[in-house]
Amino acid sequence: MNARNLIDDLKRMGVVLSANGDRLHVNAPKGVITDHLKEQLFRSKPELLKVLSPTLVHSNPGNSLTGSTMQIYKITVRGKGITVLDSSGRSEVEMMEYLRRKFGSALDSAV
């Protein structure tokens, strides 16, 4: 089972996962986390942390923004406001699709 599927399965059981650096936080109703689930979480921790700690758009150091049009998007990921600057030339629809693919269910809103 991949990390995204595990997160979705746990969500359906009322479990909330979050990441803080290299730590995985599990908030679950009493009795939901079985020994089997603990083992799955332990084995999947690196991938879970990667999914739960999304990185933003990276800039290419060799790229000059001179003459480029900069689009600014305000998004909310897991309740935290983030500003994304985009000079790729994507349309607003393409950028929203990109953000949805990049952040998946972690994306709360995008404007």
Side-chain angles (χ1 to χ4, degrees):
M1 175 180 298
N2 70 32
R4 176 60 45 208
N5 291 341
L6 180 57
I7 292 168
D8 291 342
D9 288 349
L10 290 169
K11 244 187 231 182
R12 283 189 284 278
M13 293 187 278
V15 178
V16 177
L17 296 178
S18 60
N20 186 1
D22 64 348
R23 294 178 181 249
L24 181 64
H25 297 275
V26 181
N27 186 353
K30 189 173 182 168
V32 169
I33 302 298
T34 62
D35 289 340
H36 176 71
L37 279 175
K38 284 179 191 175
E39 180 62 29
Q40 278 187 295
L41 288 166
F42 178 77
R43 280 194 324 266
S44 303
K45 182 180 175 183
E47 190 180 355
L48 288 167
L49 289 173
K50 195 174 188 180
V51 170
L52 295 168
S53 302
T55 55
L56 287 179
V57 178
H58 300 288
S59 63
N60 182 348
N63 239 356
S64 170
L65 296 179
T66 307
S68 297
T69 301
M70 184 70 69
Q71 296 292 335
I72 301 172
Y73 298 90
K74 302 277 187 189
I75 65 173
T76 306
V77 177
R78 289 195 171 67
K80 295 183 181 179
I82 300 172
T83 301
V84 177
L85 303 176
D86 178 56
S87 63
S88 69
R90 293 179 178 112
S91 71
E92 185 173 342
V93 170
E94 290 169 321
M95 187 60 180
M96 291 300 109
E97 285 302 316
Y98 169 80
L99 291 170
R100 285 187 187 93
R101 282 193 314 274
K102 180 78 175 162
F103 294 105
S105 64
L107 181 65
D108 299 323
S109 68
V111 181

